Amino acid sequence: MTWEGRTRMIGRLTVISLLALVSWLPSGAHADWFEQYQPQVVVAEPFLEMHTGPGRGYPIFHVAAEGDSITMLKRKTDWFKIQTARGEAGWVHLEQMRSTLDENGQPIEFGEVDFGNYAKRRWEIGITGGEFGGASSLSTYIGYAITPHIAIQAEFTQTLGDFSDGLMATGNVTMYPFPEWRVSPYFTIGTGIIRIKPHSTIVQAEDREDEIVNAGAGVNVYLSDRFILRMEYKHHTVLTSRDDNEEIDQWKAGFSVFF
């Protein structure tokens, strides 16, 4: 397989993996609680619209009428999978679930994603774009918080420049001195591998694969729900086989979601 083919394949796999993780990672303790207890509620409004999937883009295929008893099976962010007494199962948005009552006829309080969830997050997945030593860069990453102050991250970066393209994979340790802040600064260090594909056709240049180390700083800004604005600077050192190492600055910004 050619370098271009491998690059396209890795990029597609990265995007597919990112979308799959965003869709299927559980929404905190709510998912476990619903799957274990499967509470029953009663529809208090004229009807609930049941979608085939957890999103407004999925079609409505059934409605639960006022007075019907429904069972809550699981939750994904603001969507609830429910089942009617007749066995019809579908997804209902939080806005409509607020119109249900418990078995005693009392309104139900549904926990929502808020800043408290952000401060206690464990998983973080995102995509950023920016500039890498004069070339354009696009990165995807996934991170896991070992403690509120320390997280580990795996990151994949594609660079596109006038003279060469590159593909970089790194593992990083990120430190959050103030994880409870809405605007939370952080520091990061890491190491990995970078492969560079020159564009030169006049001179037969060979592909290069070198070790790379980095150190940087950034800031996470909690926006709303599960979304974070992320801005970051990194200084990379490429450990080449030549006498002199290469120093590269990277600036990037993007968005991430947390769980």
Side-chain angles (χ1 to χ4, degrees):
M1 182 181 294
T2 65
W3 164 262
E4 289 80 6
R6 284 194 294 268
T7 299
R8 285 194 292 268
M9 182 182 70
I10 292 173
R12 289 169 183 168
L13 289 174
T14 301
V15 172
I16 291 170
S17 300
L18 177 63
L19 293 175
L21 284 167
V22 170
S23 300
W24 292 107
L25 278 174
S27 175
H30 294 295
D32 296 335
W33 188 85
F34 282 118
E35 292 178 7
Q36 181 176 356
Y37 295 104
Q38 297 189 345
Q40 290 189 331
V41 297
V42 177
V43 180
E45 293 294 325
F47 59 86
L48 294 182
E49 297 175 340
M50 298 172 61
H51 296 250
T52 58
R56 297 189 187 278
Y58 291 92
I60 298 170
F61 74 99
H62 188 72
V63 295
E66 182 177 0
D68 285 353
S69 177
I70 60 174
T71 301
M72 293 189 290
L73 302 179
K74 65 171 63 176
R75 178 178 184 176
K76 289 185 181 179
T77 60
D78 289 342
W79 288 87
F80 295 80
K81 187 174 185 180
I82 68 167
Q83 185 175 46
T84 67
R86 296 183 177 181
E88 296 283 354
W91 293 86
V92 178
H93 192 265
L94 172 63
E95 293 176 0
Q96 290 201 316
M97 289 300 296
R98 288 199 179 104
S99 65
T100 60
L101 304 174
D102 63 20
E103 294 177 330
N104 298 318
Q106 299 299 314
I108 301 172
E109 292 291 335
F110 291 97
E112 299 185 53
V113 178
D114 56 19
F115 181 68
N117 297 107
Y118 164 74
K120 299 175 182 177
R121 68 191 184 281
R122 280 291 179 264
W123 291 94
E124 188 177 318
I125 307 172
I127 184 168
T128 59
E131 189 262 351
F132 182 87
S136 300
S137 70
L138 180 65
S139 304
T140 60
Y141 76 92
I142 179 170
Y144 176 76
I146 302 173
T147 74
H149 295 275
I150 300 176
I152 54 175
Q153 295 178 349
E155 184 174 40
F156 302 92
T157 299
Q158 170 76 67
T159 64
L160 300 172
D162 294 332
F163 303 103
S164 64
D165 297 337
L167 190 63
M168 179 170 58
T170 59
N172 306 282
V173 177
T174 304
M175 292 147 282
Y176 297 91
F178 310 104
E180 71 280 3
W181 289 6
R182 184 176 294 269
V183 179
S184 180
Y186 63 85
F187 304 94
T188 180
I189 57 174
T191 185
I193 298 294
I194 184 170
R195 186 174 186 189
I196 298 174
K197 171 73 173 180
H199 289 173
S200 176
T201 56
I202 299 176
V203 178
Q204 187 64 34
E206 296 182 355
D207 295 357
R208 289 171 41 205
E209 185 173 299
D210 297 303
E211 185 179 355
I212 190 168
V213 295
N214 67 73
V219 61
N220 277 350
V221 181
Y222 172 71
L223 299 177
S224 64
D225 296 329
R226 295 191 177 277
F227 292 97
I228 301 170
L229 170 64
R230 184 180 182 91
M231 296 175 285
E232 185 177 277
Y233 162 78
K234 280 185 177 180
H235 180 76
H236 299 267
T237 300
V238 181
L239 307 178
T240 70
S241 56
R242 303 188 300 272
D243 293 336
D244 296 327
N245 295 326
E246 295 181 16
E247 307 291 332
I248 303 174
D249 292 324
Q250 181 183 24
W251 299 87
K252 56 185 177 178
F255 297 93
S256 60
V257 295
F258 66 88
F259 301 88

